[in-house]
Each structure stands twice: as structure tokens, then as C-alpha cells.
Amino acid sequence: MENMAEEELLPQEKEEVEVAQVQVPTPAPAPDSAPAPDSAPTPASAPAPAPALAQAPALSPSLASAPDEAESRNKQSCPLCPKEKFRACNSHKLRRHLQNLHWKVSVEFEGYRMCICHLPCRPVKPNIIGEQISSKMGAHYHCIICSATITRRTDMLGHVRRHVNKGETKSRYIAASAAKPPNEILKEADTDVQVCPNYSIPQKTDSYFNPKMKLNRQLIFCTLAALAKERKPLECLDAFGATGIMGLQWAKHLGNAVKVTINDLNENSVTLIQENCHLNKLKVVVDSKEKEESDDILEEGEENLGNIKVTKMDANVLMHLRSFDFIHLDPFGTSVNYLDSAFRNIRNLGIVSVTSTDISSLYAKAQHVARRHYGCNIVRTEYYKELAARIVVAAVARAAARCNKGIEVLFAVALEHFVLVVVRVLRGPTSADETAKKIQYLIHCQWCEERIFQKDGNMVEENPYRQLPCNCHGSMPGKTAIELGPLWSSSLFNTGFLKRMLFESLHHGLDDIQTLIKTLIFESECTPQKECGVFIKTTDDTTPDNYIAQGKRKGNETVTTLAKRQKTDVSTEHPPFYYNIHRHSIKGMNMPKLKKFLCYLSQAGFRVSRTHFDPMGVRTDAPLMQFKSILLKYSTPTYTGGQSEGHVQPASEDTVADRVEMSMNDKAEASSCRRW
């Protein structure tokens, strides 16, 4: 500033200043005067001697220095503008500048104002017009939520509005200065767990906790409890611990029957898991030193309920290093990246449970993602949830076959938020070959939505769509069907294991999943629902005796016997897929109640049951033509009131078949219109 001020002086004034400085000595400053300008702490408080000398050149510097220093102390610079744009001025002028230039165009957010900034905080593209235009282009706003810089006020308002819609209303600057909020403690199944703020938003927390996945956690707990009856102790792994809620429930309720390992790659999650272990009076075993330290944390009179080993490493590395009897995979999104490692060291007759939350790809909303992750071609169908379950099972089966292992599907569940698949591992190339044969392609008719698995054979058929029970390929022009898959074509449920899970849910008081398990049992047997008190007493071939002998796992004899039993049980497997009764309703007719319609199908000689995939779905081995004919036979016209069920007047089979075919053609035309 002093150099700039000297350049602005005239030559005559420079000579007078030099003469005055040489001839007149500088007096000592008064006791109440301020320090010299050179000792000022900031450049904003530095004086400007040139204008003062220009106004009174005749005065001596000793008389003019005191008023100049007093004025320089009162001058302040703008904190949001560069010095070359706005020089230091008095307080009233600075206040007027801040109000007119910065305050009026500010953006308000929760009591704070984001004023426009003219400092060189963001890079400005060079402009041909000149420096004045480029300085205006550098004006911007700073977002206090995400620290982004935005030039226009309208864009800043929209930016803040998007933060509010996402629920991101906490400022980084405010959170950094404020004290850290305490962690919230939640309770689930008699297990206390600390959760971080914003625990239900994966993008804003390291330890994600979803209360909607409670059903998933209870299903996995019943699976592990049923496996613990076969042999103990079990080496169990929760590969993606987050808060550690699942592993804590295993160790707290199953005790010495399990040896739990909770793993997570994030440092904050590992710390939170250790705190939750101490909160539930469980020992944290990392090494011998930490085991001794955890003993001292418990107060006198408290009992230790079990040990939990907490690890911090990549899940693939951990599963390659150690062997386990039970592995649960629940990553954020797809789990195909961890299947090879899971089957590498899983012990014989162990269990692998896979939870997939990438429902957008599995439910055919992002078909290109399903093709990339699972190598599967799918479309949106009426049975899309079961299609998603069979896609995941097929991916699990291929990963097991690559490791010379086969699988036996215990159950597969597809609900709104996740797809859960639980399989038992069978070692040996024979089991792997049998598993690989059950991965087939599905032929799906796009006109009537009839479906059938493609038959095995080495010869290529001229028209494979003739395998469909419907006649759409002959009556409709063009290509009427497509191939979906590869998919798992065998059973999705093991009745005996589900009955044991129901017993464990009753034993541990898990009332939320008992209805779902009962539905799965009916679905696996493909029978209408009845009284459920007989399921626990019912014996089945899949008892623990088939898998254990005096606490030890059987060898090749058990695997061979199990493979033979699976071959003989093919005829008793439930029929694949289901029909939605509303999807195939006939226009102008009132459908019968779902329970009575199941009875009508059963009386016609078909296997029938409800399905958990769709509340209005019917799982049956009846072809679609027979399904619609029975639905039409027991439907009533709308104009008769539709209250009484049953056919009003007898109709011949030909008439019923013609009406069914006409209704199917109408549905096909409507579906083609929707596709186009």
C-alpha cells in the first residue's frame, strides 16, 4: 500500500517530503498514541500517508502524523472483497457497503446468511474483455452444508433446496465447532446397539443400520439356531458388521454353541462394534492383550455372556484366510464380488446366506445392471420376485461349482427391500455337476405370460418356443417369446429345515417371522394353508441325523445319500413360479375369493398353494389355460351383483375355452399396447 501511495505522489510533493524528513526531527510519540503504521497487525489498518500530504503540504510531518494515524486506526477493509476492489474505509461506509453489496443478495438457511463473496476462492476462466469483467465473474456463494462454490443466487437457492429435500440440513462448519452428539441406543431382540447419527442414511454414516431389515436378521438367526442343533461349536462370520447387531444377537442368544467373528473394513465401524460388545457384556477378542483388557471393563458382579472376535480387513481376504461353518454376506448392493471367496474355505455341510439389496437390477428395473452383475437376461414379469430369487441362486450355484462344490437351497425369500438366499454346501465334483445341471434357461411368452424351463438336450431345436403350453407362437405373428436366464430351475425351499426354523422361532420368541415361515412351509409342500400346530411334530428326512453322526460331520456316504434323496424328491418339488389372480382376471366378471379359488383348483386335481412373493399370487402346476378356465367357470358377471360365487348357468367346455382364449387375446393386445 505504501509503494502504491508513493507512486501516486507528484514529483514536487516527493521533494518536499524528503526535505521535511531530513531537516525536521521526528518527535517522540505521546503516551496515549497508537503504534506506528509499520507495527500494525493487519494490512487493513495500514495508513495512507500520500493523500494526507497532498492535502496539507505546508504542514510539518510532526503535526500531520497524529491525525493520520488516528484515521487509519478507524479504517477497516471488507472481509469479502479484495483490497484492489474496495479499500479500507470508515465503519459507517463499510457498513453501507456490506448492506448494499453483500447482505441484500445473501441466501438464508436456518438462521444463517450466505453472503456473496468476491475473493479469489475459485478459479476464474480468463476473459478477453478485461480484468473488470473477470472480477465480476469471480463472485460466488459458499454452501455451508457441502462447502461448494456457486456463482448465481438462483442456483444457490436450488442447491440449498436439494439439500433440504435429501434431509441434509446440518452444516459442516457448525458441526465442526459444536460438540459431537451422543450416539443413540436402540434395542432389538434383547440386544442393545449404539448407532451413529443419520444411521439410516448409508451416504452419511459409516455404520449403517436399517430397522426395516429386522425380518432379515431374524430369519438368519433362526437359520443359525437350526444349524447349531446339528453340530457345535460353529465358526460363524458376519462379513459386513456395520454396527454388529447381527453378530451380537448370535453370541448373546446362542452362547457357547457359536464362535462369532464380526468383520468390517471401516475403522469407525470396528470401534462402534467393540463398544456395542461391551454394552451387551460380551468379550472382545482381538488378541491376548485386548482379551485381558476387556475383562477389566466389566464391573464386579456382571457375568460375561460370550466372546466375539472383531476383525478389520477386507471380507475377501478374511474368507480366504480362515474356514467357517456359517457365513453371512450382506454388502451394500450386490454380493457377487464375494461369492468366490465365501465358497473357497466354507466347510462341508456348512451354510452360506446371501442378502442382496440391489433390487433395482434384480426386479428388472435396470436390466443392463443385471446383465453386468449376474450375466442374466431378464424382463419385467408378473413373477419378477421369484425370478430375482432364482437369479441370485444361479449366481451362488455357479460360484460354488467353480470351487468343486454343490449347493442345496434351504430357502429363498424376496421381499420389498432385499432378496435372501440360504444354501447348504456339499463338497465334491459330483455335487457340483448335479448343481450345474439345475441352471437352465426359461422360455417366457410375452403375450400370455406362460412360462416353462427349456428342456435339456444337445440338439438345437428349430423353434424352441413350441415347448410352451400356449399356442401364441402359432397364432400370433412374429416372435412371441423370449429366453430369460440362466436361472435356478430346481426347488427353492427345504421343508424339513423350515420346520426346524419354525421350532427355533417359537423357542426364542420371534413372533414377527412365524407367519412368514409357515407360509414358506405351505409353499414348499404346495398345499393350501391349514392349522399350523402339526408342523413341529411332523418328521422329515432332513433331520440333523442325516448330517451328523455323534457330533461329527459324515463323509462321502452322507453326500451320496443326500444326492440320491434329492434325485428321488424331484417329483415332489413345488412347481416353479406362480400366477397373479388379478393379472389374469376376466373383464366384466367378478372373481371368486382367493381361498375358495384355491379349493377349486385343488378339487380339479392340481397342486396349489399361496406364495410369499405375491399376496395375490397362486402357485400351481396347472397350465395357464386351465387356470383361466377354472377362474372363468367360478366367476360371476358384474351386472348380477357379483356377491354369490359359482357359475350362474352351466356352460360347455368349448364355450369356456373360447371365452378364455378371447380374454387372453384381449390381454395380449393390451400388453402389446403397453410395450409400445
Side-chain angles (χ1 to χ4, degrees):
M1 295 293 292
E2 294 178 359
N3 296 334
M4 294 175 60
E6 291 179 1
E7 292 178 0
E8 295 178 359
L9 294 176
L10 298 176
Q12 183 179 0
E13 294 175 346
K14 289 184 179 180
E15 295 177 359
E16 293 179 359
V17 170
E18 293 176 356
V19 172
Q21 289 178 352
V22 172
Q23 294 181 357
V24 183
T26 303
D32 56 346
S33 62
D38 296 337
S39 62
T42 59
S45 60
L53 293 174
Q55 292 177 2
L59 295 177
S60 62
S62 60
L63 299 177
S65 60
D68 292 344
E69 292 175 0
E71 291 181 4
S72 64
R73 290 197 305 268
N74 296 331
K75 291 182 179 180
Q76 298 177 357
S77 60
C78 178
L80 300 175
C81 295
K83 296 178 182 179
E84 58 270 14
K85 183 174 182 179
F86 185 80
R87 296 185 177 183
C89 61
N90 296 326
S91 60
H92 66 278
K93 186 177 179 181
L94 177 62
R95 189 181 299 108
R96 187 168 59 251
H97 164 77
L98 292 173
Q99 184 177 3
N100 295 336
L101 185 62
H102 299 283
W103 190 265
K104 284 186 177 181
V105 292
S106 62
V107 177
E108 188 175 0
F109 174 73
E110 291 189 356
Y112 295 89
R113 284 186 177 270
M114 292 172 279
C115 298
I116 193 168
C117 176
H118 294 272
L119 297 175
C121 303
R122 54 181 289 152
V124 181
K125 295 181 181 180
N127 201 331
I128 304 176
I129 300 177
E131 297 181 357
Q132 185 177 1
I133 303 298
S134 63
S135 63
K136 291 183 180 179
M137 292 290 290
H140 55 274
Y141 293 89
H142 291 272
C143 179
I144 64 174
I145 301 175
C146 64
S147 68
T149 55
I150 299 175
T151 55
R152 304 178 65 179
R153 186 174 184 271
T154 55
D155 296 341
M156 188 65 195
L157 292 172
H159 179 78
V160 173
R161 196 178 299 113
R162 284 191 293 271
H163 278 304
V164 174
N165 294 337
K166 292 180 181 180
E168 303 171 352
T169 58
K170 290 191 176 181
S171 170
R172 289 186 178 182
Y173 305 103
I174 302 172
S177 59
K180 185 179 179 180
N183 292 336
E184 185 181 355
I185 297 179
L186 302 179
K187 190 170 185 178
E188 181 181 302
D190 297 332
T191 304
D192 297 328
V193 58
Q194 293 187 69
V195 293
C196 298
N198 300 321
Y199 59 86
S200 59
I201 305 175
Q203 293 82 2
K204 298 188 66 176
T205 182
D206 297 328
S207 300
Y208 176 59
F209 178 79
N210 189 0
K212 297 180 180 179
M213 298 290 286
K214 179 180 178 181
L215 201 65
N216 176 276
R217 288 186 284 268
Q218 292 183 354
L219 285 171
I220 296 169
F221 175 81
C222 291
T223 302
L224 183 58
L227 180 63
K229 298 295 183 182
E230 300 177 7
R231 59 182 185 269
K232 58 182 70 172
L234 296 173
E235 292 281 348
C236 308
L237 172 64
D238 183 7
F240 302 90
T243 60
I245 177 64
M246 191 172 294
L248 292 172
Q249 292 177 356
W250 299 348
K252 193 169 184 179
H253 296 285
L254 298 179
N256 297 327
V258 294
K259 294 181 179 179
V260 181
T261 301
I262 304 178
N263 176 71
D264 204 287
L265 189 59
N266 188 273
E267 182 68 30
N268 297 331
S269 297
V270 172
T271 304
L272 187 62
I273 292 170
Q274 295 177 357
E275 294 177 358
N276 289 331
C277 291
H278 299 317
L279 183 64
N280 291 274
K281 303 177 184 179
L282 297 169
K283 288 184 180 179
V284 180
V285 180
V286 180
D287 50 31
S288 58
K289 294 182 180 179
E290 291 207 15
K291 184 175 180 180
E292 295 175 358
E293 292 176 359
S294 63
D295 295 339
D296 300 336
I297 295 177
L298 295 175
E299 299 178 358
E300 296 182 359
E302 293 184 351
E303 296 182 0
N304 181 53
L305 300 178
N307 300 335
I308 290 182
K309 187 170 184 179
V310 181
T311 59
K312 177 184 175 296
M313 64 177 66
D314 187 82
N316 285 322
V317 176
L318 178 60
M319 289 185 288
H320 273 287
L321 294 177
R322 292 181 53 191
S323 299
F324 296 95
D325 297 292
F326 183 87
I327 295 177
H328 175 60
L329 301 177
D330 186 10
F332 184 74
T334 182
S335 56
V336 293
N337 299 327
Y338 306 95
L339 294 178
D340 291 335
S341 302
F343 285 99
R344 182 67 59 183
N345 280 336
I346 187 69
R347 293 182 178 135
N348 190 27
L349 301 179
I351 289 180
V352 176
S353 65
V354 179
T355 300
S356 300
T357 55
D358 54 334
I359 56 176
S360 61
S361 59
L362 291 174
Y363 289 172
K365 295 180 181 179
Q367 301 175 10
H368 61 286
V369 181
R371 189 178 297 108
R372 182 171 69 245
H373 287 168
Y374 300 95
C376 183
N377 179 37
I378 58 174
V379 294
R380 185 78 170 190
T381 61
E382 63 172 328
Y383 50 92
Y384 66 93
K385 286 189 177 181
E386 184 172 349
L387 200 66
R390 293 184 180 274
I391 290 172
V392 178
V393 176
V396 171
R398 287 195 298 268
R402 285 193 292 268
C403 301
N404 282 337
K405 295 181 177 69
I407 63 169
E408 176 192 5
V409 182
L410 300 180
F411 66 91
V413 175
L415 298 179
E416 183 181 0
H417 304 286
F418 64 91
V419 176
L420 174 62
V421 172
V422 178
V423 299
R424 187 189 293 274
V425 180
L426 308 175
R427 279 191 173 182
T430 304
S431 301
D433 294 339
E434 292 294 330
T435 299
K437 291 179 181 178
K438 297 178 181 178
I439 302 177
Q440 299 177 359
Y441 283 89
L442 181 74
I443 302 178
H444 170 81
C445 180
Q446 291 186 296
W447 292 97
C448 63
E449 297 215 22
E450 182 64 280
R451 76 295 302 238
I452 190 173
F453 280 106
Q454 191 171 359
K455 296 178 181 179
D456 295 331
N458 297 327
M459 302 300 293
V460 179
E461 294 188 26
E462 182 180 358
N463 188 2
Y465 308 126
R466 293 178 180 176
Q467 300 178 16
L468 287 168
C470 64
N471 194 28
C472 297
H473 63 278
S475 59
M476 300 294 177
K479 186 178 179 180
T480 60
I482 57 174
E483 288 186 357
L484 306 180
L487 306 173
W488 178 257
S489 61
S490 185
S491 175
L492 293 178
F493 310 102
N494 186 308
T495 308
F497 194 84
L498 288 171
K499 292 175 181 178
R500 291 160 53 195
M501 286 179 59
L502 180 60
F503 175 80
E504 296 297 334
S505 65
L506 293 171
H507 177 69
H508 293 280
L510 303 177
D511 300 333
D512 297 337
I513 62 169
Q514 292 177 11
T515 304
L516 176 60
I517 296 178
K518 292 175 184 177
T519 305
L520 295 177
I521 293 174
F522 286 120
E523 192 172 358
S524 64
E525 297 177 341
C526 199
T527 55
Q529 293 191 8
K530 301 175 183 178
E531 295 296 330
C532 303
V534 298
F535 287 132
I536 301 175
K537 298 180 181 180
T538 304
T539 59
D540 192 81
D541 296 336
T542 56
T543 56
D545 296 336
N546 288 338
Y547 299 105
I548 57 174
Q550 297 178 359
K552 297 182 180 180
R553 291 181 292 274
K554 288 187 177 181
N556 296 329
E557 296 181 1
T558 302
V559 178
T560 306
T561 305
L562 188 60
K564 291 181 179 179
R565 181 181 56 80
Q566 289 177 347
K567 291 180 181 179
T568 57
D569 289 350
V570 172
S571 59
T572 61
E573 289 181 357
H574 63 83
F577 303 111
Y578 55 90
Y579 300 106
N580 186 288
I581 189 173
H582 284 174
R583 187 74 170 260
H584 298 284
S585 61
I586 301 169
K587 186 177 181 181
M589 304 290 287
N590 286 332
M591 299 181 304
K593 299 294 183 182
L594 182 59
K595 291 183 179 180
K596 292 191 175 182
F597 180 68
L598 296 178
C599 296
Y600 298 149
L601 283 174
S602 181
Q603 292 172 3
F606 298 107
R607 299 176 62 193
V608 62
S609 70
R610 301 188 66 171
T611 176
H612 80 281
F613 293 111
D614 189 351
M616 298 305 296
V618 177
R619 184 181 295 278
T620 179
D621 57 351
L624 182 60
M625 183 68 71
Q626 298 292 332
F627 181 89
K628 292 184 72 73
S629 64
I630 296 175
L631 182 63
L632 176 62
K633 182 179 179 180
Y634 293 96
S635 298
T636 56
T638 306
Y639 57 83
T640 60
Q643 300 298 328
S644 61
E645 294 181 358
H647 54 287
V648 179
Q649 56 183 2
S652 62
E653 296 295 333
D654 297 337
T655 306
V656 171
D658 294 340
R659 294 174 65 180
V660 169
E661 187 174 359
M662 291 175 59
S663 64
M664 291 175 62
N665 294 337
D666 295 340
K667 285 290 185 67
E669 294 178 1
S671 61
S672 63
C673 293
R674 286 195 299 269
R675 287 198 299 271
W676 291 103

